[in-house]
Each structure stands twice: as C-alpha cells, then as structure tokens.
C-alpha cells in the first residue's frame, strides 16, 4: 500500500513537472509571435475610449480631441502607446493588452510620440 502511494506521488510530480515545463516554454514565446485578435469596437474599453479601426469614423462631436486639422493627423500608428511598425496594418497597444489595434485607428487615449 505504501509503495503504491510513493508511485502515485512520483507520477503526480512527474506529470506536474512536465506541465510546468510546458507552461514555461509557452511563457518564453515572444508575444509578437503569438496570433492576436484585433480589438473589437464593441469592446467596453474600446467604446469608452471611442476606439475606431478607421479613425475617420470617430465621432468628433463626442471626442473633440480628434477634431480639426491637428486631430485629423492622429492615428494609432503615430501614437506613443502603439508598438507596431508605423506602416503596418495593425500592432499592439499598451492600452489594449494582448490585442491588436489598427494602424489607421484612433482612440481618445492617443498621445503624441515624443
Ligand atoms: S492608445 Fe493610441 S495606439 Fe492605442 S488605441 Fe488609442 S490611439 Fe490607438
């Protein structure tokens, strides 16, 4: 009986170590290589920030920050919180963790790159 318990514990530890190794291996994969979904405009945070994948569709009456000549130049691809390539269709944004925003998108958290 005691021998069975040892084997069970050993098996349990072995499986646990294998699972832990798998999790560590997954954690080592850069996020840039993991497929990410695009932020949905229906996402509650996206709605609160007025995010639009097409910046020209932003309701400037509700979000006057993007109104006028200066506002019309604001896009995700030139936002300080965007970490994608300037000419890529989409990229990561530090506001929307693990999701991609459109390079030609915009939200009210836009910050000029310094
Ligand atoms: S914070 Fe910047 S990059 Fe992120 S969605 Fe808003 S405008 Fe786009």
């Amino acid at each position: 009986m005691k021998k069975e318990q040892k084997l069970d514990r050993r098996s349990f530890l072995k499986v646990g170590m294998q699972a832990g190794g798998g999790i560590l291996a997954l954690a080592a994969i850069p996020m840039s290589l993991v497929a990410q979904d695009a932020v949905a405009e229906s996402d509650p945070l996206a709605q609160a920030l007025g995010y639009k994948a097409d910046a020209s569709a932003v309701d400037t009456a509700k979000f006057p920050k993007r109104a006028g000549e200066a506002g019309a130049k604001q896009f995700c691809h030139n936002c300080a919180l965007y970490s994608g390539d300037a000419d890529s269709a989409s990229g990561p944004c530090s506001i929307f963790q693990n999701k991609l925003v459109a390079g030609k998108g915009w939200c009210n958290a836009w910050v000029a790159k310094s």
Side-chain angles (χ1 to χ4, degrees):
M1 185 73 176
K2 201 168 187 173
K3 190 173 183 180
E4 275 182 50
Q5 285 176 331
K6 270 189 176 176
L7 285 175
D8 286 345
R9 189 178 305 148
R10 187 174 296 153
S11 296
F12 175 78
L13 289 173
K14 192 174 177 183
V15 170
M17 286 172 62
Q18 288 171 342
I23 290 168
L24 286 174
L26 284 175
I29 298 172
M31 284 308 292
S32 60
L33 298 179
V34 177
Q36 293 176 303
D37 294 329
V39 172
E41 292 178 2
S42 59
D43 177 289
L45 179 58
Q47 285 191 328
L49 293 172
Y51 172 77
K52 294 287 181 192
D54 175 2
S56 67
V58 171
D59 180 351
T60 53
K62 199 171 173 184
F63 298 99
K65 182 175 174 177
R66 196 168 191 284
E69 197 175 318
K73 294 176 183 171
Q74 298 175 3
F75 294 94
C76 290
H77 66 73
N78 60 19
C79 172
L81 304 176
Y82 182 77
S83 56
D85 291 332
D87 58 351
S88 62
S90 62
C93 161
S94 56
I95 297 279
F96 297 99
Q97 295 290 309
N98 304 321
K99 299 266 183 181
L100 298 176
V101 295
K104 293 180 179 172
W106 181 90
C107 90
N108 203 36
W110 183 88
V111 181
K113 282 185 178 176
S114 54

